[in-house]
Amino acid sequence: MSHPRGPSRLCAEYGNPQELNGGNADQRRLLTLPRRIPSTVADVHSVLFGPEPDQIRTARSWAWRSSGLGYDHADSLLLVLSELHTNAFRHTASGLPGGTVRVDLERLPDRGFRVSVTDQGPRPGAATTVPTPASADLFAGLVTEESGRGLDLVAALSRDWGWHRDDSGPGVTVWAEVDRPGRWG
């Protein structure tokens, strides 16, 4: 999978990969993201995305293609993924230079999908935060803030969601199960 900004723009910003020869590790890693992660489990697709905001759009495109859904049937899945990925980007070390976000998409046997987003843990000097919806009722009260309701949307669009700490490091994995409309294609 190539970088969404294309090789010519990448070379202009970060140098030609053939000329890096052990250069900046962040530059080398950026040139290789997003990167597919091989899976030995059937119906599980995984990708490692970089710390740039445009990687969220790339993740949505990847999830849509991997799901096999028609675009008009993928709204809930793509919105849930966007919210979870954005939270990892905004609130954890994953959004810092050199950071990564792991996204796993699993086709469930009961006609749904589980999307999981794993971050790299807290930003330097910050405590680990855990996902908490802003309110139990998305439409309760007058809400004027421009952000802070993403997990409420995730809860409303998914049949179940939750989180757990990553056993292999300081990160947190947030997951949601989304029904697949229609029949299997």
Side-chain angles (χ1 to χ4, degrees):
M1 182 179 273
S2 64
H3 194 280
R5 292 187 294 176
S8 61
R9 184 164 172 207
L10 274 176
C11 288
E13 289 181 35
Y14 300 101
N16 188 325
Q18 285 80 24
E19 295 173 2
L20 285 176
N21 291 332
N24 182 315
D26 288 337
Q27 290 173 332
R28 286 193 315 275
R29 184 155 73 198
L30 180 62
L31 290 171
T32 62
L33 293 175
R35 181 175 54 240
R36 287 184 14 172
I37 301 170
S39 176
T40 57
V41 180
D43 291 329
V44 176
H45 304 276
S46 303
V47 174
L48 200 61
F49 292 94
E52 297 176 319
D54 64 351
Q55 293 280 289
I56 297 169
R57 181 182 64 236
T58 304
R60 281 193 312 264
S61 178
W62 164 81
W64 171 57
R65 287 189 318 273
S66 297
S67 73
L69 294 173
Y71 199 76
D72 56 336
H73 290 138
D75 293 345
S76 294
L77 174 67
L78 301 182
L79 182 55
V80 165
L81 169 60
S82 290
E83 293 298 333
L84 298 181
H85 195 158
T86 299
N87 283 349
F89 177 79
R90 285 188 177 165
H91 303 295
T92 74
S94 294
L96 299 176
T100 59
V101 174
R102 178 184 175 135
V103 177
D104 299 293
L105 182 64
E106 177 182 4
R107 186 183 295 237
L108 301 173
D110 65 349
R111 297 180 17 122
F113 292 95
R114 176 184 274 234
V115 60
S116 302
V117 175
T118 303
D119 64 47
Q120 289 187 298
R123 292 177 181 232
T128 300
T129 59
V130 295
T132 306
S135 69
D137 182 1
L138 181 60
F139 302 105
L142 179 61
V143 180
T144 58
E145 296 84 19
E146 289 184 22
S147 64
R149 293 176 299 281
L151 288 176
D152 289 316
L153 287 171
V154 169
L157 293 172
S158 60
R159 61 180 169 202
D160 196 14
W161 77 276
W163 62 272
H164 59 84
R165 295 198 191 276
D166 185 11
D167 294 336
S168 64
V172 171
T173 298
V174 184
W175 57 267
E177 293 182 358
V178 179
D179 287 323
R180 180 173 190 248
R183 60 180 183 82
W184 290 102

